[in-house]
């Protein structure tokens, strides 16, 4: 039986991954370790916690005692590290916590995992490990920097992070790689493009736009809206991680991408038109509106001051993971965005729950000038 430590499992992708694992595998044990920052919400996995195969531990990945205690208590053989500060805009305002969580947190987990998984030493002095253990670092395409109009990121593209967030994720990747090289620890790194789907915290572009449209609020588009992201439905990302944990070659990096480049302004316009269409097809959805349906149109779009150092374009070449592990992005964007919008229309209670704390105050402080 595989026993997973899923750090950051109360966040957007981590929670989707937990739900995916519980559905896909029967003989499995999962421990979620999450400190429940503003981006983590226990309510997201509340129902899943009725399943005896899932356990939740509240704790910080930087805390040696907490991480040690979960390794002590559970026979963990896989670690999937999602725990991170994940929002680029926040990293521009306050870089320090990004370095602390993303780099030092990663190193702390690696160190404890190494200690618990080591069985001895080989003739050259390298540690030897228990059978079937692996540490997977969930990384991002942002470590490669920014592309011009053409080209794709491959696993050999030089690392060139440009924001405090991406610099911290690159630092984390390098320390993971160092544990793989220096101690021969079985590791993988996955580098994924922008995810979207259910349980996405409404500070990121797509869920923020959906929330604002339903409330009849302005839709802030940074700069001229021409920046390109390569969107991937979150369940496709979960499938990729599952494949890499189980079948990825130790020591390897795998890029994961949706083959789905869109300009931000296209995303915003498509979200508006999809919501209009869903409201007309199913008038019951109109009950969630805090504005009149007539107000939902492109007049809500507002071009605002650009993000500092805003990366122009990301695009992933996923040839390696497709060739080696048979993974490919299954969900077409038009299908995924409609599923996502329907989910938000039907789960407004979740949105209210995750935005009930400091969300409004923080949002006004951060974006008040836009
Ligand atoms: P998220 O912000 O929604 O969730 C992060 C989770 O980590 C939260 O539950 C939070 O409480 C937890 N956390 C934060 N600091 C912690 C700490 N010190 N100790 C324990 N838990 C802590 O992030 P997400 O969008 O789900 O991203 C998950 C991972 O995937 C991150 O590592 C991110 O860099 C990476 N990633 C995200 C995307 C994307 O599009 N969202 C794309 C590629 C890679
Ligand atoms: O590429 C993977 C990365 O995708 C992940 O590593 C990050 O954790 C994740 O947050 C995401 O980063 P982005 O910066 O691309 O995502 P965000 O949703 O913040 O922004 C998407 C694009 O939309 C970006 O070009 C900035 C723009 N934007 C964003 C917001 C929040 C706007 O124009 N207006 C907005 O209000």
């Amino acid at each position: 039986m595989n026993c997973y430590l899923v750090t950051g499992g109360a966040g957007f992708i981590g929670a989707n991954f937990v739900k995916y694992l519980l559905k896909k595998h029967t003989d499995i044990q999962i421990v979620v370790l999450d400190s429940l920052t503003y981006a983590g919400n226990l309510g997201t996995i509340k129902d899943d916690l009725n399943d005896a195969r899932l356990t939740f531990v509240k704790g910080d990945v930087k805390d040696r005692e907490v991480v040690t205690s979960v390794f002590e208590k559970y026979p963990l053989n896989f670690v999937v590290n999602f725990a991170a500060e994940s929002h680029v805009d926040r990293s521009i305002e306050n870089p320090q916590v990004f370095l602390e969580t993303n780099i030092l947190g990663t190193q702390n987990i690696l160190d404890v995992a190494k200690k618990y998984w080591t069985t001895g030493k080989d003739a050259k002095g390298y540690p030897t490990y228990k059978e079937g253990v692996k540490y997977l670092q969930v990384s991002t395409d942002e470590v490669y920097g920014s592309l011009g109009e053409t080209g794709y990121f491959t696993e050999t593209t030089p690392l060139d992070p440009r924001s405090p967030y991406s610099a911290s994720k690159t630092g984390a990747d390098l320390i993971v790689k160092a544990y793989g090289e220096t101690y021969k620890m079985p590791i993988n790194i996955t580098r994924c493009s922008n995810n979207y789907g259910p349980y996405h915290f409404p500070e990121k572009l797509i869920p923020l736009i959906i929330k604002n449209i339903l409330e009849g609020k302005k839709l802030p588009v940074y700069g001229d809206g021409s920046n390109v992201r390569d969107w991937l439905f979150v369940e496709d990302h979960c499938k990729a991680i599952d494949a890499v944990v189980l079948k990825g070659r130790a020591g390897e990096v795998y890029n994961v991408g949706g083959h789905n480049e869109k300009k931000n302004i296209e995303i915003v316009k498509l979200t508006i038109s999809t919501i209009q269409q869903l409201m007309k097809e199913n008038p019951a959805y109109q009950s969630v509106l805090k504005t009149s349906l007539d107000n939902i149109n492109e007049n809500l779009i507002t071009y605002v001051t650009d993000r500092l150092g805003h990366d122009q374009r990301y695009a992933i070449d996923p040839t390696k993971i497709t060739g080696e592990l048979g993974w490919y992005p299954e969900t077409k964007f038009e299908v995924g965005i409609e599923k996502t919008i329907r989910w938000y229309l039907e789960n407004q209670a979740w949105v209210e729950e995750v935005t009930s704390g400091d969300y409004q105050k923080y949002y006004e402080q951060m974006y008040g000038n836009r």
Side-chain angles (χ1 to χ4, degrees):
M1 184 186 66
N2 287 319
C3 185
Y4 291 70
L5 174 61
V6 177
T7 63
F12 165 47
I13 309 175
N16 275 286
F17 184 65
V18 165
K19 289 171 195 292
Y20 178 80
L21 283 183
L22 289 172
K23 249 192 267 158
K24 170 98 189 286
H25 304 288
T26 324
D27 199 15
I28 194 175
Q29 199 63 42
I30 307 170
V31 180
V32 165
L33 174 66
D34 196 303
S35 62
L36 300 179
T37 66
Y38 79 96
N41 175 39
L42 198 50
T44 304
I45 52 168
K46 192 179 71 207
D47 293 345
D48 306 290
L49 283 166
N50 294 326
D51 189 319
R53 296 172 300 164
L54 179 65
T55 307
F56 176 77
V57 177
K58 184 170 188 294
D60 193 318
V61 289
K62 299 190 299 299
D63 184 331
R64 176 64 57 128
E65 252 176 57
V66 167
V67 177
T68 300
S69 73
V70 288
F71 272 88
E72 190 62 41
K73 190 157 176 202
Y74 302 98
L76 302 166
N77 64 310
F78 291 144
V79 172
V80 185
N81 182 26
F82 291 95
E85 288 293 334
S86 69
H87 195 43
V88 175
D89 289 331
R90 288 183 189 246
S91 82
I92 294 167
E93 293 299 311
N94 179 18
Q96 188 164 335
V97 65
F98 282 73
L99 305 194
E100 289 166 356
T101 294
N102 299 1
I103 302 179
L104 297 179
T106 296
Q107 192 268 335
N108 190 40
I109 309 166
L110 283 164
D111 223 37
V112 177
K114 175 173 155 283
K115 182 172 161 215
Y116 276 82
W117 289 346
T118 299
T119 49
K121 274 187 187 169
D122 70 9
K124 288 186 174 158
Y126 288 110
T128 52
Y129 295 92
K130 285 181 185 162
E131 272 296 299
V133 298
K134 186 181 274 181
Y135 175 99
L136 186 145
Q137 176 72 3
V138 181
S139 184
T140 169
D141 57 2
E142 299 201 11
V143 299
Y144 297 121
S146 180
L147 291 164
E149 279 181 14
T150 57
Y152 295 92
F153 297 133
T154 70
E155 290 78 0
T156 56
T157 301
L159 301 177
D160 182 25
R162 294 151 48 94
S163 71
Y165 163 72
S166 53
S168 70
K169 291 296 288 184
T170 308
D173 282 15
L174 294 177
I175 195 71
V176 173
K177 195 123 181 41
Y179 272 68
E181 297 292 341
T182 306
Y183 309 115
K184 300 282 176 244
M185 192 164 158
I187 57 101
N188 281 125
I189 298 171
T190 54
R191 296 190 179 132
C192 186
S193 59
N194 284 61
N195 285 218
Y196 67 101
Y199 304 106
H200 205 181
F201 190 75
E203 65 181 349
K204 308 291 198 304
L205 180 68
I206 290 181
L208 175 75
I209 292 300
I210 297 173
K211 181 174 186 294
N212 282 11
I213 292 172
L214 300 181
E215 294 175 6
K217 289 189 181 155
K218 296 283 183 203
L219 311 178
V221 173
Y222 298 172
D224 62 2
S226 68
N227 303 67
V228 172
R229 297 292 182 265
D230 177 3
W231 294 93
L232 180 72
F233 192 58
V234 64
E235 197 175 310
D236 283 335
H237 187 190
C238 295
K239 285 182 190 165
I241 293 173
D242 186 38
V244 175
V245 171
L246 296 175
K247 300 185 289 184
R249 284 184 297 133
E252 294 295 312
V253 174
Y254 293 92
N255 279 359
V256 183
H259 271 315
N260 188 57
E261 290 180 54
K262 295 243 181 289
K263 289 187 177 147
N264 292 338
I265 190 64
E266 293 177 90
I267 293 286
V268 173
K269 288 184 177 173
L270 186 65
T271 305
I272 296 171
S273 60
T274 309
I275 290 181
Q276 285 170 329
Q277 177 209 323
L278 287 174
M279 291 285 165
K280 283 177 190 153
E281 277 171 18
N282 187 349
Y285 281 146
Q286 292 180 27
S287 65
V288 309
L289 289 179
K290 297 191 178 107
T291 185
S292 120
L293 185 53
D294 297 336
N295 290 339
I296 297 181
N297 56 54
E298 292 185 7
N299 292 333
L300 292 175
I301 295 172
T302 320
Y303 292 92
V304 298
T305 315
D306 208 354
R307 173 183 282 175
L308 301 181
H310 196 172
D311 288 343
Q312 182 56 34
R313 175 173 166 257
Y314 304 142
I316 282 277
D317 175 355
T319 305
K320 179 174 172 181
I321 187 170
T322 303
E324 282 190 20
L325 308 181
W327 177 90
Y328 63 95
E330 289 173 39
T331 313
K332 293 224 172 333
F333 188 74
E334 290 64 23
V335 174
I337 191 73
E338 187 178 319
K339 268 193 194 175
T340 303
I341 293 171
R342 278 186 197 279
W343 186 86
Y344 279 91
L345 293 174
E346 291 163 14
N347 290 278
Q348 282 294 298
W350 181 88
V351 176
E352 267 152 42
E353 190 181 335
V354 301
T355 57
S356 62
D358 284 345
Y359 176 86
Q360 201 53 39
K361 200 170 100 206
Y362 185 83
Y363 200 78
E364 275 159 21
Q365 250 174 27
M366 182 110 156
Y367 301 100
N369 62 341
R370 291 200 156 124

